[in-house]
Amino acid sequence: MAHNEDVVERKSSQDIINQLSVILRNAQIHDPNNVAVVSAIERFLSLINPLVESERTVSLELIGEFFYLDGMRIRYSLEYLINFDFLVREFKNREVGSIIFKEKINPDDIKLFLKAFIAAGFSQDPYEKISDMMAESNRIIVDRLKKIKEGDEVDVRKIIKKTYFNAVSYSKGVMKKIKSGEKVNIKKAKRIVETMVDQILGEEQLLLSMTTIKDYDEYTYHHSVNVSILSVALGQRIGLRKRVLTELGLAALFHDMGKIEVPHDVLNKPSNFNEDEWRLIRKHPIWGVRSILKLRGFDPVTVRSSIVAFEHHLHHDFSGYPKVKNYKDLDFFSRIVSIADQYDAMTSARVYSRVPMSPDKALSLMMERSDSQLDPLLMKFFVNMIGVYPIGSLVMLDTKELGLVYETDVVFVDRPRVLIIVDKTGKRVKGTVVSLTEKDKYGRYLRSVVKTLDANKYKINLAEFLL
Ligand SMILES: [Fe+2]
Ligand SMILES: [Fe+2]
């Protein structure tokens, strides 16, 4: 992708998106000459015109879930979350991918655009409608939303699967080496995490779907990689820069390093831990600090990783472990990693007897804990990222088919892409992936979720279908 992944910090770009959203919302309820619409247009022009004058053309493009202004990703802010989501949805509904402003814009240009945009919303071929109507303007140009071709998707999936398993085998290798006292090459870890960061920026959903792979024999290795992916994805949502995302991904990958010192038969005990065993397990954050600092000479990244290892069970309100006194604040990375860690741990089968929680159950339990154990603001972003029907959820559809949530749709949060695994007649099928946003010619949805079921009860998991 030729786009610059540096997040635009300028508040004015966020204002542009926000203001465009305000205009559209107002124009959908009021007449174009209404005061609210007119003043919203004025405000929008005061933001966009200075840019057009200095840059000649300004493009506003939707790629995946993010808007880009002249190729720079615009930071997603909580303050504007609703307006951003609204605009993404309205663009996608009309298959509009970008708007290009050429020359200074006047209120009539915007009014024409509003008319076309609203008319397209009622049309069978929304994009054709809007581009037809906009043909008379040479100051505002619209372009179609780009879609990934089916064929491409298969290859991307292969590449992403490779990244995931590379990371798992690396984390396995590192832990084994440290255990035997060997020196560990952290450069390789950095390269692996950098690849994951790149893939999350481009194909967030695909890499996130890999985190549903949880192998209980190799729990700790998969868990480390899953926590790293979930942390980076969350960091990306709040607009962290690429370099910071890599540091976060590394810290997350090493968060449970201290577990190598917990005896194997305790760690993998099939029944509940007794008090002595708990005492050992509660030491892994401190042991983690020691192992990480042994990785190589002091540098800011290793130091920060060791802080995260120390703090990841401390909790937002310090009610966790190890017990601390007069502790000021959790490191920002630790707050992110704690959320990713709890989510992955809850949704994994750690030992043979332990049944993992369904993703939606884990999320609602975590929501109850936000404020006390977890950072409430970050939790909001996390829930928004995982979606109403998290990847891997088993859903029953109104067509009597059963499916697994394959990919969530950030715009239509209740209409994910679903892998059908049981057909209308109740027969197990080697499924196809359908999107719940598909409609028939009357505009009715072809399929909708009726309810979620506990995938573990049916002994079904998405990982089987990914591998
Ligand atoms: Fe831990
Ligand atoms: Fe953990």
Side-chain angles (χ1 to χ4, degrees):
M1 207 191 290
H3 288 272
N4 189 336
E5 289 297 351
D6 250 354
V7 174
V8 184
E9 295 287 353
R10 279 175 308 170
K11 183 108 165 66
S12 63
S13 339
Q14 295 179 3
D15 286 337
I16 287 173
I17 301 289
N18 185 52
Q19 202 54 35
L20 188 57
S21 183
V22 170
I23 297 177
L24 283 169
R25 296 178 92 160
N26 274 312
Q28 284 181 352
I29 30 176
H30 301 296
D31 175 89
N33 295 315
N34 176 284
V35 193
V37 180
V38 172
S39 66
I41 292 177
E42 287 299 328
R43 169 119 180 81
F44 180 71
L45 293 181
S46 74
L47 294 166
I48 198 86
N49 275 335
L51 270 181
V52 178
E53 277 170 351
S54 70
E55 313 281 332
R56 284 165 179 254
T57 61
V58 173
S59 74
L60 184 66
E61 193 175 4
L62 176 69
I63 300 173
E65 302 112 46
F66 297 99
F67 278 107
Y68 289 73
L69 192 71
D70 283 339
M72 298 272 275
R73 182 153 70 89
I74 300 173
R75 195 181 164 133
Y76 211 68
S77 80
L78 197 63
E79 181 189 353
Y80 293 149
L81 199 64
I82 292 167
N83 281 345
F84 270 44
D85 280 353
F86 171 80
L87 204 61
V88 172
R89 188 170 64 229
E90 298 293 296
F91 266 54
K92 283 197 180 175
N93 273 344
R94 291 164 181 79
E95 293 162 49
V96 171
S98 60
I99 310 178
I100 298 151
F101 302 93
K102 297 191 136 181
E103 284 180 67
K104 200 173 165 209
I105 313 295
N106 62 50
D108 285 337
D109 296 322
I110 302 287
K111 281 184 190 164
L112 171 69
F113 173 75
L114 289 177
K115 219 166 116 191
F117 204 82
I118 291 168
F122 294 103
S123 168
Q124 279 293 330
D125 302 303
Y127 179 73
E128 277 67 29
K129 182 81 187 168
I130 194 167
S131 63
D132 271 1
M133 288 180 75
M134 290 311 290
E136 58 181 273
S137 167
N138 42 24
R139 284 190 288 266
I140 301 180
I141 317 276
V142 293
D143 202 2
R144 194 191 280 273
L145 190 65
K146 292 181 187 75
K147 278 189 187 146
I148 313 170
K149 284 180 271 145
E150 282 296 326
D152 289 350
E153 209 172 323
V154 175
D155 284 335
V156 175
R157 194 167 282 281
K158 255 191 212 155
I159 295 168
I160 289 195
K161 211 194 285 180
K162 201 172 149 206
T163 306
Y164 180 81
F165 283 100
N166 249 342
V168 171
S169 77
Y170 171 81
S171 86
K172 189 173 174 178
V174 166
M175 292 206 176
K176 287 202 164 139
K177 274 186 192 164
I178 290 181
K179 221 172 189 168
S180 65
E182 258 179 83
K183 274 274 171 221
V184 168
N185 184 1
I186 199 173
K187 267 200 193 127
K188 199 172 166 196
K190 222 177 148 194
R191 271 206 305 277
I192 286 172
V193 173
E194 270 166 0
T195 311
M196 295 202 296
V197 169
D198 280 339
Q199 293 183 352
I200 279 176
L201 291 171
E203 297 286 343
E204 181 198 48
Q205 291 288 319
L206 274 179
L207 196 54
L208 275 179
S209 73
M210 292 293 142
T211 66
T212 61
I213 302 174
K214 325 212 184 221
D215 183 323
Y216 41 55
D217 288 325
E218 313 245 282
Y219 168 73
T220 311
Y221 317 127
H222 280 269
H223 172 68
S224 305
V225 175
N226 293 348
V227 172
S228 181
I229 292 172
L230 290 164
S231 299
V232 171
L234 180 55
Q236 174 228 209
R237 288 290 175 123
I238 56 171
L240 299 183
R241 285 168 180 282
K242 217 168 152 179
R243 185 183 49 81
V244 183
L245 287 177
T246 306
E247 291 172 11
L248 170 64
L250 276 173
L253 190 65
F254 293 139
H255 81 281
D256 263 341
M257 192 82 108
K259 284 207 176 148
I260 49 174
E261 299 194 39
V262 179
H264 190 266
D265 45 328
V266 172
L267 213 51
N268 294 307
K269 196 184 163 193
S271 51
N272 287 338
F273 301 125
N274 64 35
E275 208 23 68
D276 285 338
E277 288 160 344
W278 260 119
R279 214 169 293 137
L280 279 174
I281 285 171
R282 286 205 192 95
K283 282 190 177 142
H284 83 270
I286 296 169
W287 288 337
V289 175
R290 204 167 59 194
S291 323
I292 290 168
L293 293 181
K294 260 193 250 164
L295 281 177
R296 61 168 182 190
F298 265 42
D299 97 338
V301 182
T302 22
V303 173
R304 189 126 187 224
S305 300
S306 69
I307 293 172
V308 172
F310 181 77
E311 294 182 341
H312 77 280
H313 289 288
L314 212 48
H315 294 166
H316 194 53
D317 59 0
F318 308 110
S319 60
Y321 61 87
K323 285 279 159 265
V324 288
K325 270 186 202 152
N326 304 322
Y327 212 81
K328 277 243 175 53
D329 246 333
L330 286 192
D331 184 275
F332 189 59
F333 281 2
S334 305
R335 297 183 206 189
I336 294 177
V337 172
S338 303
I339 291 175
D341 180 39
Q342 284 205 14
Y343 180 74
D344 188 68
M346 280 188 207
T347 53
S348 300
R350 230 171 313 184
V351 281
Y352 293 92
S353 64
R354 194 174 167 278
V355 181
M357 218 178 266
S358 68
D360 54 320
K361 221 185 205 164
L363 271 191
S364 64
L365 197 73
M366 286 171 70
M367 275 309 278
E368 283 171 31
R369 292 179 184 171
S370 78
D371 249 350
S372 56
Q373 295 192 13
L374 301 163
D375 184 314
L377 188 63
L378 287 172
M379 258 316 281
K380 279 190 192 153
F381 277 100
F382 190 72
V383 171
N384 189 274
M385 175 179 95
I386 300 286
V388 177
Y389 301 115
I391 294 171
S393 306
L394 178 64
V395 289
M396 180 187 274
L397 304 177
D398 56 356
T399 52
K400 299 214 163 61
E401 292 161 303
L402 289 185
L404 288 165
V405 175
Y406 196 62
E407 199 175 335
T408 60
D409 189 311
V410 268
V411 178
F412 305 102
V413 283
D414 56 341
R415 303 208 157 269
R417 276 157 66 84
V418 169
L419 177 80
I420 303 292
I421 54 164
V422 173
D423 71 7
K424 290 179 201 300
T425 63
K427 213 170 72 211
R428 276 293 279 263
V429 287
K430 203 161 185 224
T432 46
V433 178
V434 297
S435 166
L436 300 194
T437 59
E438 284 169 27
K439 290 181 185 172
D440 64 13
K441 60 177 177 185
Y442 306 107
R444 288 176 308 216
Y445 286 114
L446 293 179
R447 297 177 177 85
S448 300
V449 173
V450 179
K451 60 176 174 183
T452 52
L453 302 164
D454 191 345
N456 305 308
K457 226 189 237 164
Y458 294 83
K459 304 233 180 306
I460 295 168
N461 96 53
L462 183 62
E464 288 172 41
F465 296 92
L466 290 176
L467 301 176

